[in-house]
Amino acid sequence: MRPEDLLLPTPAGVCCKPGGFHIDPTRPVDKAVITHGHSDHARAGHGAVLATQETLDLMRLRYGEAFAGSTQAIKYGESIALGGAKVTFHPAGHVLGSAQIAVETNGLRVVASGDYKDVADPTCAPFALVPCDVFITEATFGLPVFRHGDPDAEIAKLLRSVALFPERAHLVGAYSLGKAQRVIALIRKAGYDKPIYLHGAMEKITRYYQSRGIDLGRIELARGVAKADLAGTITLCPPSTLKELWSRRFPDPVTCFASGWMRVRARARQHLVELPLVISDHADWNGLTATIAATGASEAWVTHGQEDALVHWSVTHGLQARPLDIVGYGDEDDGEVTAEVSDPGEAT
Ligand SMILES: [Zn+2]
Ligand SMILES: [Zn+2]
């Protein structure tokens, strides 16, 4: 059997013919298997959805109860037979509930990793390496210039700035699902124990993380707090709000942005960011290439970002490789390309 007989890239996403399902479909399908809750991977309107409990809950929070015809929760390490295929979920280390999906039949195993990172994150289960024949990898940061570095060192920069400027507020732009909660957890890990403030758009998801036992310390809404009382504080907000009227309620704000793209100075300038924080929920170039090699796969399928360099790297390292060219996956690390915050006109 060829891998393409098991999983086939189609305009609606990767399709498993023998199993009768699509993975992270970009348009409504009968049966969807979903890697994680980001809106470009987890869309409303499918017939049946199979995903982790956290991903199903996050979809419900975003889209309401009727987001799918029916749902089924699956745990990490659990396998389910779908038609002629066996499907197993493994942690992807990307955001709470994120999973890689291993699809098997007749001794052939393809792993669709969704989005992933191979570094520690206090808010989700660590990435699990799954040996396979074909590894489907994202390529959001699929260029050698992208090395994310140590997130704790970025948080130390933030806390140094907070200590230096007690009369100013610090506004940290961060994607609402995953990044914001990870930044809060990293700030706590660094020993900061004062309340951390939130933009209202992040409240539901952040409270959900807390309800799943993720310790984020004391979290309060910035809404309704007097301007003077926000001096010396840290507030997390969707990146687009940094430039909006909303930010004027803060005393002389220091604008920060937590994203892998902050490695690129032009991006930081474009966002008018005073303090860029290079913190990403995606693997960097080293992480992507090390992971592809470690899976032992003889074939890599590359999607979702800068496919060419990673395809080239794979081929020069003895793998067969191809770009998948599926349209419809966004870039939540950019912060502007999101459905849940305003400013769609600035999507890049
Ligand atoms: Zn994602
Ligand atoms: Zn993605």
Side-chain angles (χ1 to χ4, degrees), residues 139-172:
T140 304
F141 292 103
L143 284 175
V145 300
F146 291 112
R147 313 275 158 118
H148 296 326
D150 177 11
D152 292 326
E154 300 299 290
I155 295 298
K157 272 201 274 182
L158 169 66
L159 294 179
R160 230 169 9 246
S161 179
V162 171
L164 272 174
F165 303 110
E167 71 289 356
R168 302 179 69 182
H170 281 68
L171 286 183
V172 183

Side-chain angles (χ1 to χ4, degrees), residues 68-82:
S70 66
T71 63
Q72 183 178 358
I74 182 169
K75 291 189 172 70
Y76 294 136
E78 193 180 337
S79 297
I80 287 182
L82 289 178

